[in-house]
C-alpha cells in the first residue's frame, strides 16, 4: 500500500455501553453488502468463514486471514439479526469477549456500514482498532472488486497504535458522557 491508511474508529456511548465505531460507505445495494458480511463464502474472501446454520442462533466462525496457525473455530452467538440492516453477535475466546453490532443503511444507492465493538477491556483498543480498520478495508476491497490480499496489516499496526491509544483514553474518561455522544 503506497499511502498509510487513515484511522477512522471513534468512541461512542450507546445504550449497550461504550463502543468503538467504524464506518465505511459503498456504492452498492444494501443486500450486496449484507451478503458480504453474512454469507460464509463471501465472508471467506475478507475475514473468515462459518460452519453451522445461523437459524439455530449460533455458528462456528473461523478466521482465515491471519495464517493457518490462527484458524481455530469459535462459537459466535447471534443476538440480533434483522436482514439486511442489523446483525449483533457475541463470543468469548482467548483474546477476550467480543460483542459486535453491524448496522447497514442504504440511501440513493450508497450503503453505509457501521461496525460497533462494545468495549469490555479498553486496554485492547490499541490493537483491535487497527485490526478492524484492516478487516473493513479488506471488506471494502471485496465489495469494490479489488484484491484484499494487496492490503498489509503492517500498514495498520503499529502505525495506528497512537491514534487508538487516544480512543482508549476517551473510553476510559467516558463515565459521565451521555448516550450517542461521539468524538
Amino acid at each position: 500500500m503506497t499511502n498509510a491508511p487513515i484511522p477512522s474508529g471513534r468512541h461512542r456511548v450507546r445504550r449497550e455501553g461504550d463502543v468503538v465505531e467504524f464506518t465505511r460507505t459503498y456504492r452498492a445495494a444494501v443486500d450486496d453488502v449484507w451478503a458480504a458480511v453474512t454469507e460464509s463464502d463471501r465472508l471467506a474472501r475478507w475475514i473468515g468463514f462459518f460452519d453451522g446454520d445461523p437459524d439455530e442462533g449460533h455458528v462456528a466462525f473461523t478466521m482465515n486471514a491471519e495464517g493457518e496457525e490462527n484458524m481455530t473455530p469459535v462459537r459466535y452467538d447471534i443476538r440480533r439479526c434483522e436482514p439486511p440492516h442489523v446483525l449483533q453477535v457475541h463470543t468469548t475466546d482467548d483474546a477476550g469477549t467480543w460483542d459486535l453490532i453491524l448496522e447497514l443503511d442504504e440511501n440513493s444507492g450508497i450503503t453505509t456500514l457501521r461496525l460497533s465493538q462494545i468495549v469490555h477491556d479498553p486496554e485492547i483498543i490499541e490493537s483491535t482498532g487497527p485490526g478492524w480498520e484492516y478487516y473493513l478495508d479488506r471488506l471494502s476491497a471485496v465489495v469494490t472488486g479489488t484484491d484484499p490480499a494487496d492490503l498489509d496489516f503492517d500498514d495498520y499496526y503499529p502505525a495506528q497504535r497512537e491514534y487508538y491509544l487516544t480512543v482508549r483514553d476517551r473510553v476510559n474518561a467516558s463515565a459521565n458522557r451521555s448516550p450517542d455522544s461521539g468524538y
Side-chain angles (χ1 to χ4, degrees):
M1 180 172 272
T2 55
N3 296 321
I6 298 170
S8 64
R10 64 188 187 132
H11 169 246
R12 292 186 59 82
V13 179
R14 296 175 49 128
R15 66 179 174 77
E16 296 91 348
D18 288 294
V19 303
V20 179
E21 180 182 274
F22 306 86
T23 304
R24 298 293 188 275
T25 57
Y26 305 104
R27 187 169 300 282
V30 70
D31 290 325
D32 185 50
V33 179
W34 179 260
V37 298
T38 61
E39 295 176 8
S40 186
D41 62 324
R42 302 269 315 262
L43 275 169
R45 297 177 196 169
W46 63 277
I47 191 168
F49 57 91
F50 65 82
D51 292 310
D53 182 354
D55 289 338
E56 294 178 5
H58 59 87
V59 295
F61 179 76
T62 303
M63 294 189 75
N64 66 358
E66 294 185 4
E68 297 276 332
E69 67 278 2
N70 293 314
M71 291 186 60
T72 303
V74 176
R75 178 184 168 126
Y76 273 73
D77 294 315
I78 300 165
R79 298 276 173 94
R80 184 174 165 206
C81 185
E82 299 170 12
H85 297 287
V86 180
L87 177 64
Q88 184 173 358
V89 297
H90 167 86
T91 193
T92 300
D93 64 14
D94 293 341
T97 297
W98 301 81
D99 283 295
L100 307 171
I101 304 167
L102 179 89
E103 298 165 301
L104 299 174
D105 293 301
E106 182 181 359
N107 187 4
S108 301
I110 304 293
T111 298
T112 300
L113 175 149
R114 279 183 312 283
L115 174 68
S116 299
Q117 179 175 358
I118 299 171
V119 177
H120 296 283
D121 179 3
E123 297 309 310
I124 67 171
I125 293 171
E126 71 181 82
S127 60
T128 57
W132 283 120
E133 299 282 4
Y134 172 69
Y135 285 115
L136 290 173
D137 285 353
R138 287 176 58 88
L139 169 61
S140 295
V142 168
V143 170
T144 61
T146 61
D147 188 353
D150 290 342
L151 298 171
D152 185 347
F153 183 68
D154 291 341
D155 291 333
Y156 295 80
Y157 189 87
Q160 295 180 354
R161 182 176 180 270
E162 289 301 319
Y163 175 89
Y164 280 102
L165 285 172
T166 301
V167 173
R168 178 208 59 198
D169 292 345
R170 290 177 179 164
V171 169
N172 284 332
S174 74
N176 296 319
R177 302 257 179 232
S178 62
D180 291 322
S181 67
Y183 41 121

